Structures are given as C-alpha cells and as structure tokens.
C-alpha cells in the first residue's frame, strides 16, 4: 500500500487543521491506520489510530480531546482533525498502516504542521 499525507501548514495557537491520508492499495478490516508525528530532534510519537473495520479510535494522552480520527472506506482515506493546536504539536505528521495501534508496517510521506505562538 502507498500512503500520502496532506493538509499540513502553518496555523496559530488555538487554531485547527485537517490532515488527510490517501491510501492506494488494499486496506483490510483488521488493519489499523495510524497517525504518527516527529518533531526535529525528537523520537517518533504515536498520535492516534483507527481500526479500519470497526472505526474504533485510539488516541495518545497528549491529543485526546483535541484531535479526532475518521475514515472513509469508500475513498480509502483517513482524516486527522486537529483542534486547539499548541506549539508542541509542531511536527511532521504521517500515516501508517499496521495491525495494531502504534504499529507502523507501511508508512507514507509526511506533511509538516507548524503551530505558531
């Protein structure tokens, strides 16, 4: 599967941004589509995930209540809605397919999100 994230940009603190991940190839109901982010000089961080078949979502504590993940099974896309953005949300965000939340077996190119204070 090939994955491509898009929708990044520059936003002010407290603002919102919507990222999209387009997948070409099969996504099975057992798969989990994950969002990760990585800031300069920091380790990769799990942001959240959605199980393709059930739509169950999982979030890291750092984004819970602010971010929301959804999927469109007809279009093979995953959306990350980010609200109440903080400066510490600045990072390259990318999506990845795995078999469980936090697992990255196939990842795509990321998109830069910059939150200015």
């Amino acid at each position: 599967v090939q994955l491509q994230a898009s929708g990044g940009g520059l936003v002010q603190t407290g603002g919102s941004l919507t990222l999209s991940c387009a997948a070409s190839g099969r996504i099975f109901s057992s798969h989990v589509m994950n969002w990760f982010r990585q800031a300069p000089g920091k380790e990769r961080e799990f942001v959240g995930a959605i199980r393709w078949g059930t739509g169950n979502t999982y979030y890291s504590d750092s984004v819970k209540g602010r971010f929301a993940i959804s999927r469109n099974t007809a279009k093979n896309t995953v959306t990350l809605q980010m609200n109440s953005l903080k400066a510490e949300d600045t990072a390259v965000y990318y999506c990845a397919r795995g078999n469980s939340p936090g697992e990255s077996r196939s990842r795509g190119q990321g998109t830069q999100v910059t939150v200015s204070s």
Side-chain angles (χ1 to χ4, degrees):
V1 66
Q2 290 188 329
L3 304 169
Q4 179 66 57
S6 61
L10 175 64
V11 64
Q12 290 188 331
T13 300
S16 299
L17 208 56
T18 303
L19 304 184
S20 182
C21 172
S24 60
R26 289 295 302 273
I27 305 177
F28 295 100
S29 59
S30 59
H31 282 137
V32 175
M33 298 301 293
N34 293 275
W35 284 97
F36 295 91
R37 66 187 181 187
Q38 188 162 19
K42 294 189 176 182
E43 296 287 322
R44 183 186 73 180
E45 179 186 6
F46 169 74
V47 174
I50 187 165
R51 190 166 295 279
W52 196 251
T54 62
N56 288 349
T57 54
Y58 313 84
Y59 299 98
S60 68
D61 288 342
S62 61
V63 306
K64 196 174 295 182
R66 299 189 298 123
F67 291 11
I69 298 175
S70 59
R71 89 266 193 249
N72 185 319
T73 57
K75 295 183 178 180
N76 258 23
T77 58
V78 181
T79 298
L80 177 64
Q81 176 66 43
M82 305 185 295
N83 301 316
S84 303
L85 284 162
K86 306 174 182 179
E88 51 263 43
D89 294 320
T90 295
V92 174
Y93 286 70
Y94 62 93
C95 55
R97 189 186 71 178
N99 294 321
S100 60
E103 182 185 58
S104 173
R105 288 185 174 266
S106 301
R107 57 160 287 186
Q109 290 189 331
T111 185
Q112 176 71 47
V113 172
T114 304
V115 184
S116 65
S117 56

